[in-house]
Amino acid sequence: MSVSRGIARLRLTGGCARQASSFTIADSIMPTLRRLQNVDWVKIYYPAGQTQYPTGRRDSLPACLA
């Protein structure tokens, strides 16, 4: 994980699948990281490095969690 200019970037290390649940690991990660004083946005990346919105000041998830 890294934080730069208010954006926390976190790469998942295991698999990535939404499954049948409406709750994903992102639902825990995002509010937890936002509690940090220097984090305004959270970008979560698939293990291979993809996320829906890799640039810009907005939250982003990999497609498998969206």
Side-chain angles (χ1 to χ4, degrees):
M1 186 189 96
S2 67
V3 178
S4 176
R5 295 186 236 186
I7 301 174
R9 291 177 173 85
L10 175 81
R11 184 179 296 214
L12 301 173
T13 59
C16 180
R18 177 179 268 292
Q19 311 244 333
S21 175
S22 61
F23 183 83
T24 70
I25 189 68
D27 295 312
S28 293
I29 292 171
M30 288 190 154
T32 300
L33 291 178
R34 283 245 177 94
R35 287 188 189 124
L36 299 174
Q37 186 175 21
N38 58 337
V39 173
D40 298 313
W41 308 101
V42 177
K43 294 189 183 284
I44 301 174
Y45 294 82
Y46 185 74
Q50 299 92 358
T51 192
Q52 288 183 312
Y53 307 106
T55 61
R57 300 183 66 75
R58 66 187 290 183
D59 291 332
S60 182
L61 299 172
C64 59
L65 295 180

